[in-house]
């Protein structure tokens, strides 16, 4: 097994069978072997810098019905909210003062936010903070909408592919959603010129080791700038409420494999990872991740953006989250930096 990791380190890719074998058979010892290599590569491209993104969860209305997600439209218990443009700008203002130079606007697919409204929000943020990057994470749209957001000043787009296997995709989503369309969106975004992020949940219901290997190979093909992964965590108001959560160990192992497969990728150590283990985000950084995404959403809406159960940091002000993150990173020998944090060029 160690030879396979060595091979991956040299070639930055393995076959479907080889990835599957590693994912099926990983041990704590093999993980340590992988993480050391992942850290070396990450240090080569990014040193000990950790990039910060300020996450603004601006709406939890959603027209989709993804089976795993706590803000799916069928969840009648979700307490719905929308931030106004002024609320969003206020989040940016406090974020800017705290050193954030990337704002991530994330939300459900909420028809209230027409293209016109999104464009107006992008322009307003860019006007006030021209030195900041804007990342959108608002789901599947038409090519022309993506183009219009880009023209208005959006820099990056996060759209997790969720799973690269068609049959598995069908088990996690209602039938009106398709992997084909999701992938098409990712290719459109890339072509337009966004820095693009895809990603998946680790340990989602019905997922096999081979599915995860397919995820890694899809990522290798897409060559995204970012990859967001985190453990699946059951949400009590969804049909998956009794399903098992993804594990810390497998999520970390996948982070390590991704660092070796796409060496310069921007890899967040996610809130979901911090939710299943008190030191999850630190361990993610030590497994090869290089990005953290503290929350900038107003405290009064935090608990409402409940994609999954027990989400952390729902009671903290932005400043608390930012300094808590700084302390956590410093404790493991890393430091959060004030910069846009763009993707490093491949050598
Ligand atoms: N509507 C946007 C944003 C989705 S929320 C979009 O379609 O891209 C961001 C991510 O949260 C999702 O892509 C999904 O991977 C993750 N997520 C949703 N429910 C989850 C759960 N129960 N456990 C872990 N992650 C979840």
């Amino acid at each position: 097994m160690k030879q396979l990791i060595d091979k991956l380190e040299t070639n930055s890719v393995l076959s479907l069978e080889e990835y599957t074998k590693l994912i099926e058979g990983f041990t704590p010892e093999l993980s340590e072997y992988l993480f050391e290599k992942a850290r070396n590569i990450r240090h080569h491209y990014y040193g000990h810098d950790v990039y910060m993104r300020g996450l603004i969860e601006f709406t939890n209305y959603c027209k989709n019905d993804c089976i795993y997600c706590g803000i799916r439209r069928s969840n009648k218990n979700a307490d719905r909210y929308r931030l106004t443009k002024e609320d969003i700008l206020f989040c940016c203002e406090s974020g800017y003062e705290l050193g954030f130079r990337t704002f991530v606007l994330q939300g459900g697919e909420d028809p209230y936010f027409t293209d016109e409204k999104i464009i107006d929000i992008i322009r307003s943020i860019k006007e006030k903070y021209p030195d900041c990057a804007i990342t959108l994470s608002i789901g599947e749209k038409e090519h022309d909408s993506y183009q219009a957001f880009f023209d208005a000043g959006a820099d990056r787009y996060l759209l997790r592919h969720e799973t690269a296997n068609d049959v598995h995709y069908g088990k996690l989503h209602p039938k009106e959603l398709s992997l084909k369309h999701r992938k098409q969106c990712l290719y459109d975004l890339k072509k337009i010129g966004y820095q693009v992020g895809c990603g998946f949940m680790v340990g989602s219901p019905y997922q096999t080791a081979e599915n995860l290997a397919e995820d890694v190979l899809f990522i290798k093909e897409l060559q995204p700038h970012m990859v967001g992964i985190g453990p699946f965590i059951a949400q009590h108001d969804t049909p998956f409420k009794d399903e098992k959560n993804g594990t810390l160990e497998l999520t970390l192992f996948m982070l390590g494999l991704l660092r070796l497969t796409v060496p310069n990728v921007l890899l967040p150590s996610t809130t979901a990872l911090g939710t299943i283990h008190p030191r999850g985000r630190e361990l993610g950084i030590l497994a090869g991740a290089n990005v953290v995404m503290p929350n900038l959403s107003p405290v009064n809406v935090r608990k409402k953006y409940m994609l999954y159960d027990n989400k952390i940091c729902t009671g903290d002000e932005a400043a608390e989250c930012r300094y808590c993150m700084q302390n956590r990173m410093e404790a493991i020998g890393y430091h959060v930096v004030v910069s846009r944090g763009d993707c490093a060029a491949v050598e």
Side-chain angles (χ1 to χ4, degrees), residues 62 64 68-71 106-109 137-140 158-160 162 182 200-201 230-235 272 305 307-308:
C62 194
N64 288 337
Y68 46 83
C69 185
I71 62 169
Q106 189 178 85
E109 289 194 20
S137 180
I138 53 176
E140 298 177 33
L158 290 181
L159 185 76
R160 290 187 177 183
E162 312 296 358
R182 195 106 180 146
F200 55 91
M201 289 176 287
F232 160 77
I233 303 174
Q235 206 282 0
Y305 199 79
L307 307 178
Y308 47 81

Side-chain angles (χ1 to χ4, degrees), residues 57 72 82 90 133 145 162 228 236 242 270 279 281 293 302 322 328 332:
E57 301 156 333
R72 65 201 299 268
R82 291 183 179 110
F90 184 73
S145 305
E162 312 296 358
H236 64 277
D242 296 322
T270 52
R279 292 187 65 247
R281 285 166 302 174
M293 300 171 72
R302 293 275 185 101
R322 188 250 187 260
R328 285 170 179 269
I332 55 167

Side-chain angles (χ1 to χ4, degrees), residues 161-325:
H161 63 282
E162 312 296 358
T163 170
N165 179 284
D166 245 323
V167 177
H168 187 219
Y169 197 92
K171 292 180 178 169
L172 302 181
H173 298 97
K175 57 179 181 314
E176 63 272 17
L177 294 176
S178 78
L179 177 58
K180 191 162 172 262
H181 189 254
R182 195 106 180 146
K183 283 186 175 176
Q184 187 54 51
C185 288
L186 285 163
Y187 286 112
D188 286 348
L189 289 162
K190 240 196 133 177
K191 198 157 167 229
I192 290 168
Y194 283 94
Q195 294 181 35
V196 173
C198 64
F200 55 91
M201 289 176 287
V202 177
S204 59
Y206 311 106
Q207 184 181 63
T208 64
E210 190 178 274
N211 293 155
L212 286 168
E214 291 172 276
D215 285 321
V216 180
L217 283 173
F218 167 67
I219 289 165
K220 186 71 192 172
E221 180 195 314
L222 178 69
Q223 289 285 331
H225 303 80
M226 312 169 265
V227 177
I229 74 164
F232 160 77
I233 303 174
Q235 206 282 0
H236 64 277
D237 283 319
T238 64
F240 286 160
K241 63 181 189 301
D242 296 322
E243 298 289 335
K244 278 210 289 291
N245 292 344
T247 65
L248 173 77
E249 292 76 12
L250 184 55
T251 307
L252 296 175
F253 193 74
M254 295 309 300
L255 284 172
L257 288 183
L258 287 166
R259 174 60 65 204
L260 265 58
T261 303
V262 193
N264 65 330
V265 78
L266 294 163
L267 203 53
S269 193
T270 52
T271 306
L273 194 52
T275 297
I276 57 162
H277 188 281
R279 292 187 65 247
R281 285 166 302 174
E282 290 90 320
L283 295 169
I285 296 293
L286 293 169
N290 68 325
V291 175
V292 291
M293 300 171 72
N295 207 311
L296 288 180
S297 311
V299 174
N300 66 320
V301 304
R302 293 275 185 101
K303 281 196 170 56
K304 301 181 185 175
Y305 199 79
M306 274 300 176
L307 307 178
Y308 47 81
D309 286 348
N310 304 316
K311 190 170 159 215
I312 51 169
C313 311
T314 53
D316 301 339
E317 293 289 347
E320 286 175 74
C321 285
R322 188 250 187 260
Y323 290 108
C324 162
M325 195 60 81

Side-chain angles (χ1 to χ4, degrees), residues 73-138:
R73 70 159 184 266
S74 303
N75 183 5
K76 300 286 176 270
N77 293 330
D79 184 3
R80 307 284 171 174
Y81 74 92
R82 291 183 179 110
L83 299 186
T84 63
K85 178 176 142 187
E86 289 64 38
D87 294 333
I88 296 172
L89 285 169
F90 184 73
C91 292
C92 295
E93 187 183 327
S94 42
Y96 192 88
E97 279 165 25
L98 292 167
F100 289 92
R101 294 296 177 268
T102 293
F103 302 118
V104 182
L105 298 178
Q106 189 178 85
E109 289 194 20
D110 179 358
Y112 167 85
F113 285 98
T114 56
D115 288 2
E116 211 182 336
K117 288 201 176 79
I118 296 288
I119 289 166
D120 180 42
I121 292 167
I122 296 168
R123 288 215 178 104
S124 307
I125 297 176
K126 276 285 175 174
E127 202 171 294
K128 278 185 111 169
Y129 310 102
D131 54 331
C132 292
I134 298 181
T135 306
L136 298 177
S137 180
I138 53 176

